[in-house]
Amino acid sequence: MPSLKDLKNRIGSVKNTRKITKAMQMVAAAKLRRAQDAAEAARPYAERMTSVMSGLSSAASGSAEAPRLLAGTGSDKVHLLVVMTAERGLCGGFNSTIVRLARVHANRLIAEGKTVKILTVGKKGREQLKRDLGSHFVGHVDFSEVKRMGYAQAQAVARDILSRFDEGEFDVATLFFNRFQSVISQIPTAQQVIPAKFDEAPQVSALYDYEPSEEGILADLLPRAVATQVFTALLENAASEQGARMSAMDNATRNAGDMINRLTIQYNRSRQAAITKELIEIISGAEAL
């Protein structure tokens, strides 16, 4: 049974931990508001870009001059998985859910006889995948020094992906990230970016003439579309990370409070038992005299 001093030291330690988790929760809440606003502000642009690209791609899909980013290489033997996670932990299951989805996808492709290459964005995903899929790593993007995610970071990742595609390193590229829904809900998402896949364009009565041509416009817009998809994924991930961290630190703070209450009760009972024992010894000694 722990002594009174041990219990007192443990209560003090848990109280210090609760102060830290409470501070981290407040910091995450402040960052979440900015990250959520950025993610929500980017969605209309991304949706409009998808709508435009959907119309163009449907018009050029059967053309022999369709860009390779749209038509693909004609094969799906080599897959590039771009796994986007956080640089830091203490955010609940945020990183694990992304890694789990990527691992299932990779193992399925390997079982089908496909070649899998993995590009990691964020240290935590690389650490979790290193043990069983480390031999498939082809690159890593480090954003540990970046305070706020911006379009420049998305362009860096997009350029890496596009240069690998131009060099013939893969046939299909898929992004893995968490889509922000709420503080307590982040949706693990796998999104194919190469060959480009867009939702079917809605049927409209208006007809458009493109200059110079659908293929020419697509060749210019498709790299931007890839960068936009990467940027959207990074923003969704940033908001999801802060939401998950805020929720995790709130739970940790509550658990610390519960532990303090239990330890305080145990401390009081032990102290009461020690006092009672001392009184009994005093009374027994007095009666003996």
Side-chain angles (χ1 to χ4, degrees):
M1 185 175 180
S3 65
L4 291 175
K5 184 177 180 181
D6 292 338
L7 288 172
K8 193 172 183 179
N9 289 339
R10 191 174 179 190
I11 290 172
S13 176
V14 176
K15 283 183 177 179
N16 291 335
T17 301
R18 183 173 64 174
K19 290 179 182 178
I20 295 172
T21 57
K22 185 63 177 178
M24 292 181 68
Q25 177 191 349
M26 296 174 67
V27 171
K31 290 183 177 180
L32 172 63
R33 173 51 56 191
R34 295 194 298 268
Q36 183 178 352
D37 290 344
E40 291 176 349
R43 285 174 185 171
Y45 177 80
E47 291 170 359
R48 186 59 179 167
M49 170 70 84
T50 300
S51 176
V52 171
M53 297 302 294
S54 177
L56 285 168
S57 61
S58 61
S61 58
S63 173
E65 299 179 359
R68 289 178 72 245
L69 285 175
L70 177 64
T73 61
S75 174
D76 65 343
K77 294 294 184 183
V78 184
H79 288 252
L80 177 68
L81 311 185
V82 184
V83 184
M84 299 180 170
T85 55
E87 297 288 348
R88 300 172 182 84
L90 297 177
C91 47
F94 168 77
N95 295 307
S96 299
T97 54
I98 300 172
V99 170
R100 190 180 304 117
L101 179 63
R103 182 181 287 115
V104 169
H105 191 82
N107 290 334
R108 178 177 58 81
L109 292 172
I110 294 171
E112 294 173 357
K114 307 293 177 63
T115 300
V116 171
K117 298 182 178 181
I118 299 177
L119 173 65
T120 53
V121 180
K123 182 174 66 176
K124 289 302 176 180
R126 189 175 185 84
E127 290 177 351
Q128 294 187 33
L129 289 170
K130 181 168 56 178
R131 175 177 297 180
D132 51 348
L133 293 171
S135 60
H136 299 272
F137 287 169
V138 295
H140 175 66
V141 181
D142 185 0
F143 288 145
S144 57
E145 301 298 326
V146 177
K147 299 293 184 182
R148 189 174 181 181
M149 206 62 68
Y151 191 69
Q153 287 72 39
Q155 282 184 314
V157 177
R159 280 196 297 266
D160 191 345
I161 297 172
L162 293 171
S163 64
R164 293 177 185 275
F165 182 69
D166 291 338
E167 293 170 4
E169 293 187 17
F170 65 88
D171 302 311
V172 181
T174 307
L175 302 179
F176 293 87
F177 61 97
N178 263 333
R179 192 177 300 278
F180 180 80
Q181 190 171 35
S182 68
V183 173
I184 60 174
S185 178
Q186 299 87 36
I187 304 172
T189 304
Q191 181 178 358
Q192 180 177 313
V193 292
I194 299 175
K197 289 181 68 175
F198 303 102
D199 296 332
E200 292 294 328
Q203 298 296 325
V204 294
S205 57
L207 297 176
Y208 297 94
D209 288 328
Y210 297 98
E211 291 291 342
S213 65
E214 290 92 340
E215 293 81 3
I217 297 173
L218 276 171
D220 182 66
L221 286 183
L222 279 170
R224 302 187 189 185
V226 172
T228 299
Q229 290 172 314
V230 172
F231 182 48
T232 303
L234 289 174
L235 292 180
E236 294 285 346
N237 243 16
S240 297
E241 178 189 351
Q242 298 305 329
R245 180 171 287 112
M246 177 181 169
S247 180
M249 291 301 100
D250 179 58
N251 291 334
T253 302
R254 293 175 186 272
N255 292 338
D258 293 340
M259 183 175 289
I260 290 170
N261 292 336
R262 291 196 300 270
L263 290 172
T264 301
I265 292 173
Q266 186 179 355
Y267 174 81
N268 290 335
R269 286 177 178 173
S270 298
R271 182 169 175 270
Q272 199 170 33
I275 293 172
T276 303
K277 182 180 178 182
E278 290 177 1
L279 287 174
I280 291 173
E281 290 175 351
I282 293 172
I283 294 171
S284 300
E287 289 180 351
L289 292 174

